[in-house]
Each structure stands twice: as structure tokens, then as C-alpha cells.
Amino acid sequence: AQSVTQLDSHVSVSEGTPVLLRCNYSSSYSPSLFWYVQHPNKGLQLLLKYTSAATLVKGINGFEAEFKKSETSFHLTKPSAHMSDAAEYFCVVSDQFDTGKLIFGQGTTLQVKP
Amino acid sequence: EADIYQTPRYLVIGTGKKITLECSQTMGHDKMYWYQQDPGMELHLIHYSYGVNSTEKGDLSSESTVSRIRTEHFPLTLESARPSHTSQYLCASRRQGGNTIYFGEGSWLTVV
């Protein structure tokens, strides 16, 4: 069965410094992986997705993630944090047979300090 | 911009009341999903549908029920709400063969 583990429940960075949100996955097949962001009282927004094409995936708002099969990781990065990046971030893997059935990680709260 | 809508966005109701959370999409998607998110926790799939008259339970057990009488409409009902049902409910859809999932903005339910 697939599973996702987000290694940090809370990450705090200063504005202008790099962001790293860590995610490991477990899957018996080649997975589709996603990062979603959820701002307070807002719905989910797709940041980026990996679907077996290029291993380095670029998303919106300057975020990117690298799929590393050997490490079963899909870490999310951004070179320079902005105050508006403060939110909850979810690493997600999709079901092998139905990409709409998503398995969510526990979430990482990103705090950005001025 | 995704064309998937949820109502109500926020609802506070008393224990024992019946409520229906509405979800509609205008994209003609066959596949629709309901996720539940307790405060500060991850989302879990509670119901899904692959088309009209098709409904299945998801990975997380839920006392709610769903129906799919029309392609565009996938309502979720709680016959008798309890405080343990306090949560956020997110509806999603995708087209057959597509891997882009579209989410609604969510319905925040509080049962007092």
C-alpha cells in the first residue's frame, strides 16, 4: 500500500531564506506525487505534480520538487521564502488505479518570519 | 480556475440535526470524491463516485452518505450530526483519464 511521510510537522524560516519541506513516500509502483498548499480558511491549491516525466518538477510561486527514486523522496524547495508562503503544505501520492484517490501526508506548517 | 463549488462554506448546527453538504461541478467530470480533514490533520478519502448511480466508501470510515443522481452533483448527507463530525469536508473531481484533480473550497462544519 502507498503511504506518505512528511518528516517535519513545523518548519520556520526567515523571509528571503531557502525553504525545504521533506517528504518520503512508500509505493510498490511508480507513483504520481503532488504537493498541495492550504492557506488558512482556503481550499487546497496544487503547487506541482510528478507523473513519471522529468524528475525535477517546477511549480507555481517559485516552488520546485525533485523526485528521487533511490531515496523514495519528493522534497519541496524554494530558494527564497516570502511572507505569503506561510501555510500548510501536504505531500500527496495517488492511488495506483485511480489518481483521484489521494493519500495525504500529515502536513507541514511553514512559518515565515520577517 | 476550477469550476467546482461547495455550499455551505461554513455551517454551525446542533447535535441531532440532518445536514447536506452540496458539491457541484460544471466540467462534466465523471469521477468525484469527498475528503474529510480534522483540524490540523491530513485529509482522508471518505466517499467517491465514478459516475451516475455509482458510489463507494473511501479509506476512512464515515457515518455520512452520498448520492450521485446527476453527473454534476455529489451531495454528502449526515442524518444525525454529532460533535465528532466537526471537520472540514472537501469535494474534488477529475475527468476520466485525466490526472488533474480539482478541489472545491471546502465546507467547514461545526456541530455543537
Side-chain angles (χ1 to χ4, degrees):
Chain A
Q2 308 93 282
S3 67
V4 172
T5 302
Q6 291 182 242
L7 301 172
D8 307 290
S9 60
H10 189 270
V11 170
S12 181
V13 301
S14 297
E15 190 175 22
T17 63
V19 175
L20 170 63
L21 305 184
R22 298 182 295 164
C23 172
N24 285 0
Y25 70 92
S26 174
S27 177
S28 58
Y29 59 96
S30 295
S32 293
L33 292 160
F34 309 80
W35 276 97
Y36 280 87
V37 61
Q38 187 176 35
H39 287 90
N41 298 322
K42 297 287 187 181
L44 287 171
Q45 181 181 19
L46 178 66
L47 276 178
L48 50 82
K49 62 181 178 182
Y50 166 77
T51 54
S52 74
T55 56
L56 181 61
V57 182
K58 293 187 183 299
I60 62 171
N61 300 335
F63 284 94
E64 62 181 37
E66 186 171 7
F67 174 74
K68 292 186 177 179
K69 187 174 181 178
S70 61
E71 299 176 10
T72 61
S73 69
F74 191 57
H75 302 334
L76 181 71
T77 60
K78 183 174 180 178
S80 176
H82 191 272
M83 295 297 291
S84 61
D85 294 329
E88 185 86 9
Y89 291 80
F90 292 97
C91 183
V92 182
V93 63
S94 69
D95 181 87
Q96 177 181 7
F97 301 107
D98 179 356
T99 55
K101 295 170 71 176
L102 304 176
I103 297 98
F104 282 77
Q106 301 91 325
T108 298
T109 301
L110 176 64
Q111 180 187 24
V112 182
K113 297 177 290 186
Chain B
E1 194 76 18
D3 294 319
I4 180 165
Y5 308 100
Q6 290 184 239
T7 58
R9 293 290 315 282
Y10 304 93
L11 180 64
V12 180
I13 62 170
T15 298
K17 299 292 186 183
K18 176 181 178 179
I19 64 112
T20 296
L21 305 180
E22 303 287 350
C23 176
S24 296
Q25 49 90 10
T26 58
M27 299 173 282
H29 290 171
D30 288 322
K31 301 182 186 298
M32 297 189 72
Y33 310 84
W34 276 103
Y35 288 85
Q36 181 177 347
Q37 183 184 25
D38 291 334
M41 303 295 287
E42 66 267 41
L43 286 79
H44 291 283
L45 180 68
I46 53 174
H47 298 283
Y48 61 98
S49 166
Y50 288 163
V52 171
N53 294 325
S54 152
T55 61
E56 301 286 345
K57 288 190 177 295
D59 304 322
L60 182 68
S61 176
S62 174
E63 295 169 346
S64 59
T65 59
V66 291
S67 62
R68 190 85 183 278
I69 299 173
R70 302 199 316 267
T71 297
E72 63 272 19
H73 197 212
F74 191 40
L76 181 146
T77 298
L78 279 165
E79 290 292 334
S80 179
R82 297 204 302 270
S84 61
H85 296 140
T86 294
S87 192
Q88 181 193 175
Y89 295 85
L90 278 161
C91 182
S93 73
R94 72 175 180 95
R95 66 172 177 81
Q96 175 71 28
N99 62 11
T100 298
I101 300 100
Y102 297 89
F103 280 89
E105 291 202 315
S107 293
W108 274 259
L109 173 65
T110 301
V111 183
V112 298

